[in-house]
Amino acid sequence: MPRVALVTYDPGPEPSKDRDLPVLVRALEEAGAGAEAVCWDDADVDWASYDLALIRSTWDYSWRAAEFTAWAERCAKATRLANPAAVVRWNTDKRYLGELAAAGIPVVPTRYLGPGEPADLPDDHEYVVKPTSGAGARYAARYTPDQHDTAVRHLARMHEEGLTAMVQPYVRGIDTGGERALQFFGGSLLHASRKRAVLASGTAFDADKVAHPGLEPWTPTAAELDVAERALAAVPDAPELLYARVDLVDGDDGRPRVMELELVEPNLFLFLHPESVPRVVEVILAAAAAR
């Protein structure tokens, strides 16, 4: 019987936000696997006892990135880790968008401001500031040029914590077309969804935000699928990807651009796409058997 660790986070006294986790545990057990949810930072876990450690909802990693990538390296030496540690390390730093752009992939234009660098912010258009290591819109906010001083304070706060900031134009297409998330599992499209804009004007960078407002099923266009597949093909160690989510928005030209690649712990939204559960279980079992 294959043993699968579904790797998650410790939510403390709050209930877990991962609605898919109990569904996957139950479905894998019904398929004959030994499956359990385990926290990535639990020092008592024997990772070698599993045939596969599948990262699912390690949603506290972004403010513990160095610790998390070190764990991934250790775990990968003990068992098969999906996605692989090298992919995890690459994807935890959103400077990968620069690599995708250099490879000819259409991405949202991005500049990076590290600690000690001047606050070189736009003065002629609305823009977004967020950290290169972040999830769930943590430390993200949008600004107009007349909010320069507030944005500078935002940058200073991130730099004090050793975080590098990303500066991107606010993509107006998200207000009409939303953000589309194309989910891949086992090398092929699993399903897709769309959500409304996350960053409301005037919302403070350290305020709690709804990560997936207005989430609904989506049928991707040929252009969206083409950009997503090209982006994934440009990932180092792309053949080793077990799962991936490509987040797309429309640029000013109306064509899809990559906003982010989620290769570490993307929410699969199985509660929105229950028909995808059998396929996910099939791929997981095959990966566990291939150790």
Side-chain angles (χ1 to χ4, degrees):
M1 178 177 71
R3 297 195 71 225
V4 178
L6 298 174
V7 188
T8 186
Y9 73 115
D10 181 359
E14 300 296 324
S16 172
K17 296 180 181 180
D18 187 353
R19 297 168 59 181
D20 292 339
L21 202 57
V23 173
L24 272 181
V25 169
R26 184 171 60 252
L28 284 165
E29 289 177 339
E30 290 174 352
E36 58 184 318
V38 290
C39 296
W40 69 271
D41 57 353
D42 185 342
D44 294 328
V45 174
D46 178 11
W47 298 104
S49 69
Y50 297 100
D51 298 292
L52 174 69
L54 180 71
I55 302 174
R56 284 307 331 119
S57 49
T58 54
W59 291 338
D60 59 349
Y61 91 82
S62 65
W63 54 94
R64 303 167 63 187
E67 184 183 352
F68 181 72
T69 53
W71 164 80
E73 297 282 358
R74 293 194 305 272
C75 185
K77 292 177 181 177
T79 188
R80 182 173 185 185
L81 178 68
N83 280 324
V87 171
V88 169
R89 189 187 320 107
W90 183 81
N91 194 233
T92 54
D93 188 330
K94 292 184 177 66
R95 279 175 282 203
Y96 65 73
L97 287 171
E99 296 183 35
L100 295 182
I105 310 301
V107 303
V108 175
T110 306
R111 293 187 296 110
Y112 304 95
L113 298 176
E117 295 182 338
D120 181 15
L121 297 170
D123 59 6
D124 60 350
H125 62 267
E126 194 170 13
Y127 57 94
V128 171
V129 176
K130 57 186 178 181
T132 55
S133 179
R138 175 179 175 265
Y139 275 17
R142 56 188 272 201
Y143 298 102
T144 55
D146 61 0
Q147 295 172 308
H148 177 84
D149 291 346
T150 304
V152 168
R153 289 193 293 271
H154 178 181
L155 278 174
R157 173 70 175 276
M158 284 199 293
H159 287 169
E160 286 172 3
E161 297 189 20
L163 299 173
T164 294
M166 306 165 58
V167 181
Q168 299 174 318
Y170 183 73
V171 182
R172 287 291 171 188
I174 201 170
D175 292 331
T176 53
E179 180 180 328
R180 282 87 70 197
L182 277 62
Q183 306 269 7
F184 293 78
F185 219 90
S188 61
L189 182 70
L190 182 67
H191 55 239
S193 56
R194 180 173 69 169
K195 66 181 180 182
R196 297 195 303 268
V198 173
L199 298 179
S201 180
T203 301
F205 73 91
D206 53 357
D208 289 335
K209 305 174 184 75
V210 177
H212 306 292
L215 192 67
E216 62 181 354
W218 177 255
T219 300
T221 66
E224 290 168 353
L225 189 57
D226 175 67
V227 169
E229 290 177 339
R230 288 167 54 202
L232 293 179
V235 174
D237 301 307
E240 301 299 319
L241 293 177
L242 185 69
Y243 56 85
R245 194 179 84 209
V246 185
D247 294 341
L248 303 172
V249 293
D250 290 332
D252 291 340
D253 58 3
R255 297 177 181 177
R257 290 176 174 267
V258 174
M259 176 171 279
E260 290 186 9
L261 294 185
E262 296 283 359
L263 310 179
V264 179
E265 33 63 71
N267 194 325
L268 296 179
F269 308 130
L270 293 177
F271 59 86
L272 191 67
H273 301 275
E275 73 283 354
S276 294
V277 173
R279 172 62 179 160
V280 170
V281 169
E282 176 188 358
V283 172
I284 293 173
L285 291 178
R291 178 184 177 185

